[in-house]
Amino acid sequence: MASDWFWETDSEHRFCYFSRRMEEVTKFDISALLGKKRDIIPNENLSDPKWIKHRDDLKNHRPFRNFEYEMRRPHDGTLLWIRIAGEPQFDESGRFTGYRGTGHDITQEKVAMQRLEESNAALAARNNELDQAKKLIEKTAYEDPLTNLFNRRAFERDMKQELSDDRRGLGLLHVDLDRFKWVNDTLGHPAGDHVLKVSAQRLKDTVGENGTVYRVGGDEFMVILRRNPTVDLSTCLGDTIVSAMAEPFHLVTHQVTVGASVGIVIAEAGEFDAGQLVNHADAALYEAKRSGRNESCLSTPKLQARIDDERRLSRDIPGALERREFVPFFQPQIDVVSGMVCGAEALVRWKHPERGLLQPIAFLRTAIELGRIDQIDRLILQTSTEVIDRFECRGIALPSLSINVSEARLADPNLCKEIESLWHGRRCQLAIELLETIYFDESSGVDQFSDSLRRLREMGVRIETDDFGSGRASITGLLRISPDRVKIDRTLIQKVVGSRKQRSLVKGIIDMCHALDIDCIAEGVETQADVDAIVELGCRKFQGFAFSAPLSEDDFERYLTGQKIAPQLMLKNNIAPHKGSFANGSH
């Protein structure tokens, strides 16, 4: 080969021959190398394992191939890489006489290889940087920076992956903190962030190896339970989460209790897609919050059917308002001393074109959540006015009519103006019934409604409070409103006969009303025994099925003109029901 040279050593491994080509290639002076051993020439660490092996090969007279080492050229100190091969030589008697071999300059190859290795190392470093950047991007894309939980994008990714395996089911828990907004708004965002971080850790500790926790919104978390979770495991985890979140959160200067509600859904393999699973978990969470919060709720076919039904109703409500399908039914209020109808309460019913007549329990909560309750209130006020007008045209004068007013309606600045325009000049006195949620404690919004209540009173409208004694109304709230009449809650009235404790409680409410010069009426009376017991306690006005169910306009007109009060439901002291009619304005 053009760049190869030949060499020989003696039996002591001393160089004894080089071909002239070696001097041309390496620039070493041949005469300076003759008589020297190879291992005194290199510019290397001779304790390197490759040198130890090479010396062992020489000692044992073994042939060798591709032994590489580096040297420094004497004339300029540049680096030279040499690759050698050698064969041991023996005389006729078998005595070792030395080695013969070839040498080859591999400097360019080594430099190219070194550059390649450096390039590969730089490329590997760059790849590592790119890999780290990719991981950081993925972390940013799939991890919530505040809680270090997976985020909504990761949740959607993992849900898709889990549902792609049609051999196993999974569970989904939707967790929502109950009072987080209060913490955030009242104590500030740092306090809110602390609550979120602690909540995330509590969720991770509770769920453990059973699933993965995700933060999917402000104070909302999702938990995916894998490996075909059972109903017992899922509901147990839901209850444990509720208990964990009920523990106080310790802030720098405060200790707060937040609580959480949990919606749970369990799905068999292939039963639901991701959207359906989330909807079912949302529906269960919604039910948990409806039921008072701080609890868990399992999605069931029955619950889902009811939620679906409510959703269909919510879609029907706007059109029903336009078509005036919400109509008033009237439940008479009786003064058992005079035997006369002293008024009535207008109660809403929905004449649904497909489902027939719907009671408030079927749609009222949906209307409230839809934000349509004030519109329904307005429509009932308008249609009740029209009924009263028709009655008065026929000579039927109802003493008073009570109409329920929601908190949203009471907050409407146009309420007083509408009532004045609708009711002005009518002989029937209008009474506004306030739901107990408006006045149940001192922190409620009584003050914000005080101006509306004052203006209504100036217009001659009576103010009544509904469901007093239900457990939510308070005496303080009652005094602040100072109503014209109190309606004693039906849950108290219906237990008077069988409970001395309830009887004493109702007696106390009646006596309080008398002391404050507030009229009172017992609602929900169903039997003669109810009437007799409550009359003995000092109440003379009643509303309930004992006298009449809520009636349509036509039935109520017949009731008023015929005075159909059953004689056996009047007082036992032989006060007979009034036989006269309301016709011609008679009361």
Side-chain angles (χ1 to χ4, degrees):
M1 302 297 294
S3 63
D4 286 0
W5 62 86
F6 297 99
W7 55 269
E8 290 183 12
T9 60
D10 60 17
S11 60
E12 298 298 325
H13 305 298
R14 293 185 293 263
F15 287 113
C16 58
Y17 171 75
F18 286 102
S19 64
R20 182 60 58 184
R21 183 64 179 157
M22 191 278 287
E23 194 171 63
E24 295 173 358
V25 172
T26 65
K27 308 302 181 185
F28 274 89
D29 182 1
I30 292 176
S31 61
L33 297 178
L34 295 176
K36 295 181 179 180
K37 293 183 178 181
R38 179 178 291 109
D39 58 3
I40 67 172
I41 301 173
N43 181 42
E44 287 189 338
N45 179 10
L46 299 181
S47 64
D48 189 284
K50 72 175 184 178
W51 277 100
I52 294 174
K53 181 180 183 306
H54 181 61
R55 287 197 296 270
D56 189 60
D57 287 339
L58 297 178
K59 179 181 178 181
N60 291 285
H61 308 152
R62 290 191 291 262
F64 57 87
R65 299 285 185 273
N66 300 321
F67 179 68
E68 299 175 357
Y69 61 94
E70 64 180 34
M71 302 170 62
R72 292 283 179 184
R73 289 186 175 92
H75 71 290
D76 60 5
T78 57
L79 190 65
L80 173 70
W81 276 90
I82 296 174
R83 179 186 295 138
I84 61 172
E87 289 284 339
Q89 303 296 309
F90 302 91
D91 60 14
E92 294 178 354
S93 63
R95 183 174 61 86
F96 173 71
T97 60
Y99 273 90
R100 286 180 180 175
T102 60
H104 181 69
D105 178 7
I106 60 170
T107 302
Q108 291 184 348
E109 178 184 332
K110 278 290 187 179
V111 170
M113 183 63 68
Q114 185 176 8
R115 289 175 179 172
L116 179 61
E117 289 175 352
E118 290 173 352
S119 176
N120 287 340
L123 183 61
R126 179 59 178 161
N127 286 338
N128 183 60
E129 291 177 2
L130 292 174
D131 186 56
Q132 294 299 320
K134 180 182 177 182
K135 290 179 179 178
L136 181 60
I137 291 172
E138 288 181 349
K139 181 177 181 180
T140 303
Y142 293 110
E143 185 176 290
D144 173 53
L146 177 65
T147 62
N148 294 324
L149 296 176
F150 287 118
N151 61 13
R152 179 179 288 277
R153 184 177 295 178
F155 169 72
E156 293 170 351
R157 175 200 64 189
D158 293 351
M159 281 285 286
K160 182 178 180 180
Q161 181 177 344
E162 289 295 323
L163 292 172
S164 66
D165 187 348
D166 58 4
R167 296 168 298 174
R168 60 184 183 182
L170 57 82
L172 190 62
L173 277 64
H174 190 172
V175 182
D176 186 80
L177 303 185
D178 288 333
R179 299 180 69 244
F180 175 75
K181 187 177 185 302
W182 178 88
V183 172
N184 224 25
D185 293 346
T186 305
L187 303 179
H189 292 290
D193 289 348
H194 176 76
V195 168
L196 288 173
K197 288 189 282 189
V198 174
S199 297
Q201 189 60 52
R202 290 182 185 180
L203 285 171
K204 288 177 67 176
D205 293 342
T206 302
V207 174
E209 298 298 321
N210 294 299
T212 306
V213 183
Y214 306 80
R215 183 188 176 203
V216 296
D219 62 342
E220 292 182 68
F221 303 86
M222 287 287 190
V223 180
I224 296 179
L225 302 179
R226 299 175 175 85
R227 300 191 296 272
N228 296 308
T230 63
V231 171
D232 288 344
L233 169 65
S234 303
T235 54
C236 180
L237 275 176
D239 292 340
T240 306
I241 288 172
V242 170
S243 298
M245 293 304 180
E247 293 296 319
F249 291 81
H250 301 282
L251 307 177
V252 176
T253 58
H254 291 78
Q255 177 176 293
V256 297
T257 302
V258 176
S261 300
V262 182
I264 307 168
V265 60
I266 307 297
E268 300 294 334
E271 184 177 4
F272 300 121
D273 61 26
Q276 291 170 326
L277 265 173
V278 171
N279 286 339
H280 289 349
D282 288 349
L285 172 64
Y286 185 53
E287 186 64 20
K289 286 189 172 292
R290 271 183 166 184
S291 301
R293 302 174 182 268
N294 202 38
E295 62 180 72
S296 65
C297 177
L298 176 67
S299 176
T300 63
K302 183 178 180 181
L303 170 63
Q304 196 57 45
R306 180 167 64 77
I307 295 294
D308 290 342
D309 183 65
E310 290 178 353
R311 286 173 177 166
R312 286 191 292 271
L313 283 178
S314 69
R315 291 193 294 268
D316 292 344
I317 286 176
L321 283 164
E322 293 179 6
R323 294 185 295 271
R324 293 167 63 97
E325 291 173 3
F326 295 101
V327 297
F329 267 50
F330 303 91
Q331 188 167 33
Q333 296 169 341
I334 310 300
D335 184 332
V336 294
V337 174
S338 68
M340 296 295 296
V341 173
C342 59
E345 179 180 3
L347 301 166
V348 64
R349 297 292 185 268
W350 183 357
K351 287 187 176 180
H352 197 284
E354 298 173 0
R355 306 188 187 191
L357 191 68
L358 298 181
Q359 301 285 332
I361 193 173
F363 63 85
L364 211 55
R365 184 162 63 174
T366 302
I368 292 172
E369 291 161 357
L370 197 62
R372 298 279 188 165
I373 187 63
D374 57 331
Q375 293 174 275
I376 293 176
D377 283 355
R378 182 181 292 109
L379 180 58
I380 295 303
L381 175 62
Q382 292 172 348
T383 51
S384 296
T385 304
E386 295 165 5
V387 170
I388 295 300
D389 286 347
R390 286 192 287 271
F391 282 0
E392 292 188 354
C393 287
R394 297 170 192 148
I396 303 171
L398 184 67
S400 70
L401 181 66
S402 299
I403 295 181
N404 289 291
V405 173
S406 64
E407 184 172 343
R409 181 70 168 136
L410 193 59
D412 185 351
N414 296 319
L415 173 64
C416 295
K417 186 181 296 184
E418 289 180 13
I419 289 178
E420 185 175 22
S421 63
L422 285 170
W423 216 263
H424 180 71
R426 286 169 177 79
R427 290 191 295 171
C428 178
Q429 184 175 43
L430 179 65
I432 296 297
E433 279 196 17
L434 306 180
L435 299 178
E436 79 282 5
T437 53
I438 298 175
Y439 64 94
F440 71 90
D441 63 29
E442 292 188 24
S443 64
S444 66
V446 174
D447 290 338
Q448 65 176 310
F449 305 129
S450 59
D451 185 58
S452 294
L453 296 177
R454 177 186 57 77
R455 292 175 60 193
L456 288 171
R457 281 195 172 95
E458 291 174 353
M459 291 160 48
V461 176
R462 287 166 55 93
I463 305 300
E464 300 180 354
T465 57
D466 198 10
D467 300 332
F468 191 84
S470 63
R472 304 174 72 179
S474 71
I475 295 176
T476 303
L478 184 73
L479 292 173
R480 297 177 73 191
I481 289 180
S482 187
D484 299 293
R485 183 161 69 179
V486 164
K487 294 185 76 172
I488 306 174
D489 187 68
R490 68 182 64 246
T491 58
L492 297 179
I493 296 300
Q494 293 171 356
K495 296 177 182 178
V496 162
V497 174
S499 170
R500 179 177 296 179
K501 182 178 179 180
Q502 295 292 103
R503 185 181 179 92
S504 297
L505 180 57
V506 172
K507 171 66 172 172
I509 294 174
I510 294 171
D511 289 345
M512 177 192 68
C513 290
H514 290 166
L516 297 174
D517 197 23
I518 298 175
D519 194 13
C520 64
I521 183 170
E523 64 174 342
V525 289
E526 295 183 354
T527 67
Q528 176 68 53
D530 290 339
V531 175
D532 293 339
I534 295 167
V535 167
E536 289 180 7
L537 298 179
C539 181
R540 58 183 283 174
K541 295 177 181 177
F542 295 84
Q543 177 182 332
F545 281 81
F547 296 97
S548 175
L551 304 169
S552 66
E553 177 184 350
D554 291 342
D555 289 339
F556 188 43
E557 181 178 349
R558 285 190 287 272
Y559 186 93
L560 292 176
T561 55
Q563 282 291 279
K564 297 177 181 178
I565 305 174
Q568 67 270 21
L569 293 177
M570 302 308 296
L571 287 176
K572 290 184 177 180
N573 58 4
N574 296 322
I575 297 179
H578 182 67
K579 300 294 185 180
S581 169
F582 275 97
N584 302 316
S586 171
H587 285 195

